[in-house]
Amino acid sequence: MRMPVLFIGHGSPMNIIEDNTYTRSLAALGDRLPKPTAILVVSAHWQTRNTYVTAASLPPTIYDFYGFPEELYEIKYPCPGSLEIAELVQAITGNQVRADHQRGIDHAAWAVLKHVFPQADIPVLELSLDRLKTPGQHYELGRKLAPLRDDGVLIIGSGNIVHNLAKVNFEQMYGDVYSWALEFDRRIAELMVYGDHGSLINYDQLPNARWAVPTNEHYLPLLYTLALQEEPDVLQFTCTDMQNGSISMRSLMLSQK
């Protein structure tokens, strides 16, 4: 069976230890998904020149956040990596992707996977975002990853549709939400339902984009997920939460029934 494709809004590192509707939605996903042979996460937190895939056999847990409770820095996600899958990613993209044999797994991956696959027994790899690529070029690279679905690889775009840290309410995870954040999140959801990938690639032309996506590294992983959508795929939103006033936790699954 062809593996589903996910986009997960990862939000604040506090979700690593929180029990809320978002983290429970991740656990529910873990109960529904077939066990993958490997997981490839397109990470909002790994920006590079050129595109890289992790190729370490035992990728370390990266704590790429600061000022949070000490408890978070004691959690590990000791998943294996996979040189074989890294080489496959390079091959199917025509060597547009380079291997990084040293880098570990940042919290765009492990903070999510801790809830979905808590056993950490599945090989995990990350794909970086080439900061020189246009949104359209990211989308086209995502299309090249399609053969992985037939090899049992679960591809996850990990970012946030709305991500404005300058407007974050750190005192309240759930509460008041900016109207522009809600409106942009809902408009993106509508475009996904309509299958209007052109407008989703050109998100910066949409109302409220300047506030919702002040920088695009958290939006871009969504394009990799959408690039893998095929005619038989059914779109399902697995979480529609908004957190901290200006972060969309909207998550989705594309799967073939």
Side-chain angles (χ1 to χ4, degrees):
M1 183 182 68
R2 177 162 289 187
M3 285 297 295
V5 186
L6 306 178
F7 174 77
I8 303 293
H10 62 251
S12 167
M14 289 303 297
N15 284 303
I16 295 168
I17 57 174
E18 292 283 345
D19 176 18
N20 55 41
T21 54
Y22 163 70
T23 58
R24 289 194 289 274
S25 76
L26 294 180
L29 264 178
D31 291 337
R32 296 173 55 195
L33 289 167
K35 187 170 183 177
T37 57
I39 301 167
L40 177 66
V41 179
V42 183
S43 171
H45 288 269
W46 190 17
Q47 299 172 67
T48 53
R49 286 178 175 266
N50 300 305
T51 306
Y52 289 85
V53 63
T54 56
S57 59
L58 294 172
T61 304
I62 299 175
Y63 303 93
D64 53 331
F65 46 83
Y66 308 94
F68 288 88
E70 189 63 30
E71 177 184 359
L72 297 187
Y73 304 95
E74 296 172 355
I75 297 172
K76 295 187 182 300
Y77 192 78
C79 61
S82 174
L83 178 58
E84 178 184 3
I85 298 297
E87 290 175 342
L88 180 57
V89 169
Q90 292 178 279
I92 63 176
T93 60
N95 290 316
Q96 289 187 42
V97 177
R98 305 179 183 186
D100 186 322
H101 296 271
Q102 305 299 322
R103 196 179 191 277
I105 304 300
D106 61 50
H107 92 272
W110 70 264
V112 169
L113 295 176
K114 175 185 175 294
H115 297 288
V116 183
F117 298 111
Q119 297 84 4
D121 59 348
I122 301 167
V124 178
L125 303 89
E126 278 195 358
L127 192 75
S128 75
L129 295 173
D130 182 350
R131 61 173 64 95
L132 299 181
K133 277 184 166 56
T134 65
Q137 289 170 328
H138 284 288
Y139 181 89
E140 290 303 320
L141 179 58
R143 289 169 60 90
K144 294 180 182 295
L145 301 176
L148 295 176
R149 296 182 67 183
D150 292 323
D151 286 329
V153 178
L154 177 65
I155 302 172
I156 304 175
S158 180
N160 294 100
I161 290 171
V162 177
H163 186 266
N164 189 327
L165 291 183
K167 297 294 184 179
V168 158
N169 178 357
F170 288 105
E171 302 301 319
Q172 192 176 50
M173 181 169 278
Y174 287 93
D176 294 337
V177 178
Y178 292 101
S179 59
W180 50 262
L182 278 174
E183 290 167 10
F184 188 83
D185 176 73
R186 290 170 180 170
R187 181 56 180 155
I188 293 297
E190 289 173 354
L191 291 170
M192 284 191 278
V193 171
Y194 298 152
D196 186 352
H197 289 194
S199 294
L200 291 161
I201 292 168
N202 296 294
Y203 68 90
D204 57 342
Q205 303 301 309
L206 299 174
N208 302 304
R210 182 169 64 93
W211 291 100
V213 190
T215 58
N216 69 2
E217 75 287 340
H218 277 73
Y219 183 89
L220 291 174
L222 174 66
L223 298 183
Y224 283 80
T225 299
L226 295 175
L228 293 162
Q229 186 173 15
E230 297 183 350
E231 189 64 36
D233 285 323
V234 175
L235 168 66
Q236 179 182 354
F237 294 117
T238 58
C239 181
T240 58
D241 290 5
M242 301 290 293
Q243 289 185 351
N244 302 103
S246 62
I247 298 179
S248 164
M249 304 303 291
R250 184 179 294 275
S251 304
L252 64 96
M253 176 167 64
L254 297 169
S255 62
Q256 299 180 9
K257 291 188 175 181

